[in-house]
Every structure is written in C-alpha cells, then in structure tokens.
Amino acid sequence: MNIYLPPSYSTSTKRYPVVYVPGGGDLIKHCVNHLYRLYLEGWLPELILAGVETYGGQTESIPRADESDAGGVLVPGGEEARAFIDELADRIKPYLDDHYRTIQDGKRTAIVGSSADALPPLFAAYFRPAAFGNIGLLSPALGYDRLMEFICAQPALSGHLRVFLSAGAQEGLQERQASRSKAGLTLELRRLWQSQGLAGDQLAFELEEEGTHDTMFIAGQFPKALLWLYGGEAERPLKPVRDMKDTGVTASMRYELPRTETFRLRAECSGLAYCIFVSQPLRPAPAEGYPVLYALDGNAYFGSLAEAMGMQAWHPEGIAPGLIVGIGYDSEEPFVYGRRMYDFTTDTPESEIRSDGMAWPPTGGADSFLEFLEQDLLPQIQSRYPVDRSRQSLFGHSLGGLFSLYALFGRPSPFRSFIAGSPSIWWNNYALLHRLPEFEERLAQGADLTELIIAVGSEEDPSMIEDALLLYQRLQPYSGQGLALSYMLIEGEDHLSVIHPMISRIFRRIFHN
C-alpha cells in the first residue's frame, strides 16, 4: 500500500478523509503535485490518499462467470473481486483508521479507480456503500461480457452515495472492429442510474470531447473527481478580478450568414459531439413544412449550400424554400479528417494500408453515426423548425458520398433522397457493394419511392468516374420501380471544384416547386 499524507499532517492534530485508489495508486503518482497545489490554494480539503495494491494485478477487477453457478449468473470478478472489496472494507480501512488520523465515517470515505481498476469502486457502490460513500469511476472498463447485464439486474444505488463518472468521447475509437465507442457504455450506465432516481447532486458526469483511453487523459480526471466529491468542504479563495481597460480600439464585426444558427448536439449512442449548422429560408414555410437537406462535412459545405438556397429561393419563381442543415465538428478546418474518417466508414481490416504505406486512422463508426442522425439529429431539427418529413434529403461528397450510399442500401430510412457526390465506392475493397443485394430485394418487393442522385466531375480520377457509372448502370433496372435514379457527369470539374456546380443541379431536383 502506498500512503500519501497531506502537507499539514505532521504539524496538526486534524483528522482527514481517506481516498482509496485501487491499482497501487498510479493515479495519485501522476498528479500528486497538482493535488498539493489544490490543497495549498484552498480549492480542495487535505486528504489521505491510499494506493491499494490488487492481487495479481487487475485480476479481481475483471468480471467473469462463476463456474459453480449452473445458471451462468455473473459474479463480479468471481470470488476474488468480492473478497477484495470485503478486505478493503473490513481489514484495510480499519487498519488505516487505527494507525492514521482518519475520518472514519464511511460517508466521508472514497474509492476512486480508472479503467479496469474502476470496477472495484463500482462493485463497492453496490455491495459496501456503508464503508465507501464517495465513488469515482474514471473511464470505467464496462465492456466485459455480461457486465452491463449484471449491473441492470441490481437494485438502485443507496441514496446517500455520491458518484463521479467520467469518460472520453474518443475512447475505443482507435480499436479496430469496435462496434461502438467505450463512451457509449458509460453513457448507458449514466442513463440507467438517472432512471433509477440518482439525483443531480448525487451524480456528476463528465464527457471530455477529445478524451482518449490513456494515462494522460485519465490522470487529469482524478483531481476533477476529488474536487467534485470534496470541494464543497474547502475554503476556496476568490480569484482576483482583473480590470478591463479601454484600449480605444473598436472590435471589428464578423460577417455572419443571415437566418443561420449553430448549436452542439451530442450523440446518445457514442457520446461524440457534433456542430450543427442550420439555415432557415426567408420565405415562410408551406403548410406541410420545409423540405430539408442534411449535409455531411458541414464545416466545408454549409456556407455554400446556405448561400445558394438564399439566392435561388429568394425569387417567387425560384426553387422552393428549404432548410439546410450541416453536420460538422468543433473546428475551423473545412475537413476534420479523423472524425469524418471514423463517422463515414465501416470497419477496415487492420492489414489494409493507404497508398502512402501508412495505416488508416480509426474507422468503423458508420452505424453509430447513422443512429445519431436518425435518433438524435432529425428529431431535434423537427422539434425546432417546421419540417416536411416526407422530403428529407442526405448529401455527402467523397467519403460522405460513400456514407450516403451506405445509409441508402441498409435499413429503410427517414430520408427520401440521397445524394452521393463523387462517392468513394472503392473504400475497403468495395465492401459497400455487399449491401446492394439487400437494397435490391427491398426494391423488388415494392419499397416506398426513394431518390438517388449520383454526381461526379469529368476531370476526377477515371476510376472514380467508372465506379459511379457502374453503380448507376447496375441500379438502372429499378429506375421507376421504387427508385428515382439520376446520374450527373459534370463537365470540366475535378474532385473539389465539382461541388458548386453540383449544388445548383441538386437543388433543382430536391427543392422543386
């Protein structure tokens, strides 16, 4: 056991709360100087920190089925995990209480762990809440077989517990073949506890947008957990207020598109956050509501789409007014490479390499992203604006075009029109085409009318043009039989310049009066 005593311990007679940290206290090691600064500045009351070694590393943290249980009921960590929690409560805690000036009250005692070492605090919350009233779960490893099933079967947590739960939205994205991010499981646990009545002052939840499952990120969450669990007991000084001096310089005004707004929306299934850009037409909505175009890569394309709509729908004889919704990211870059690579693609074999010899960044988030669009974004837009739900379109270009096709070929969709601009059909050895038979079967059985527009520039890579044309030709037999199919070869344009002439042609198709 590694004991970290607070700075005033040797010169005072005070008693201190104890925080137990499974895994030997590595979390403490990485930020002990920062914690001492928080003590000295009065932001955090002084604590005794106890790094507790676990038997054989993390084995008692890992849930496994109890082989003696014929019903296969999950026992958390088998007998070892329960024995570890009981020893901590019945032997280690009393030992520290006898040999150090501790506050023995369980309501003032904490157990905080990360990753697999967050599971002992989780089980302590269920089995020994009287001994540990403060629980910290930092990026908890919730993906073990049947663990969430076990948690769902437990009664609600004790009403006196206070729990700090945190995760990074990027956790798990770097793992190949991962069906969902680790943050999604943490969100699921949070929703469960909230549904069971864990009140806001009992549960703190922090989801860091750029957080990854590594020491640097997780160690930064440890002080935050302690501040939330114990900061209310501190005598925190007010920070000095700096005088604002008039420099005599008037701030310049930034140009903004009229009738537009931007908001952040987080995906319930993955925890990833998106910047949503919305442009509402000047003309009022018809009785049935506005048709809507949802555009991927909103950082790059929203401005062009919104301005085109403003111009072309302004005149009464122009196109029908429509709502433009861009789906983007918190960045000033037009293309957020890592995020779009993950959101728009299916899993890529680890052996697959790029033409430059490098491995691909994290991929495989297409299903989670599609769930975000259908379950989170569309309902949010429909609640904010008058929307014609029968005229919703999805636009994507390049990898976004690949995703647009992926969304079309899969399950029935709330989108009526799909625009695949210069689609990267080649991705992952043409894996997209494996979904075509399912789509063709739906068309053969009389699926509701769907529109597909395939567009490509004449100066693009010849293989890009050939792939787009071959897909168009394969789907031609279904044209008019549940599928309104168009192919546009836009002369004189390359992979990026094709966007602007493509916009006008697309608008005439999906925003017709």
Side-chain angles (χ1 to χ4, degrees), residues 207-230:
L207 187 63
E208 183 69 35
E209 181 61 30
E210 300 302 323
T212 53
H213 197 83
D214 53 35
T215 300
M216 180 180 292
F217 166 67
I218 295 173
Q221 296 301 301
F222 185 55
K224 293 182 181 180
L226 298 183
L227 283 166
W228 187 79
L229 293 170
Y230 292 102

Side-chain angles (χ1 to χ4, degrees), residues 499-511:
I499 293 296
H500 289 88
M502 187 189 301
I503 289 173
S504 293
R505 298 192 186 194
I506 291 169
F507 277 14
R508 287 196 292 271
R509 294 297 305 268
I510 64 175
F511 293 120

Side-chain angles (χ1 to χ4, degrees), residues 43-76:
W43 292 98
L44 185 66
E46 292 185 330
L47 305 166
I48 294 176
L49 307 172
V52 186
E53 297 289 352
T54 51
Y55 305 118
Q58 296 175 331
T59 56
E60 72 289 345
S61 305
I62 301 175
R64 60 178 68 81
D66 185 351
E67 296 178 356
S68 65
D69 187 342
V73 178
L74 183 75
V75 175

Side-chain angles (χ1 to χ4, degrees), residues 82-102:
R82 184 58 188 268
F84 171 73
I85 296 163
D86 288 340
E87 180 172 9
L88 195 59
D90 298 332
R91 292 186 63 240
I92 297 176
K93 183 179 184 302
Y95 178 86
L96 259 67
D97 290 341
D98 287 343
H99 290 79
Y100 295 89
R101 296 195 309 275
T102 68

Side-chain angles (χ1 to χ4, degrees), residues 1 49 140 165 177 181 229 247 268 337 346 363 428 454 461:
M1 185 186 309
L49 307 172
L165 178 64
Q177 311 300 327
S181 73
L229 293 170
T247 62
E268 282 291 326
Y337 180 68
T346 54
T363 59
N428 199 9
I454 303 172
D461 189 290

Side-chain angles (χ1 to χ4, degrees), residues 186-207:
T186 311
L187 285 163
E188 185 178 331
L189 179 61
R190 176 205 186 192
R191 287 193 291 269
L192 171 67
W193 283 343
Q194 288 177 327
S195 71
Q196 293 176 339
L198 203 63
D201 59 347
Q202 292 176 270
L203 175 63
F205 177 74
E206 178 154 327
L207 187 63

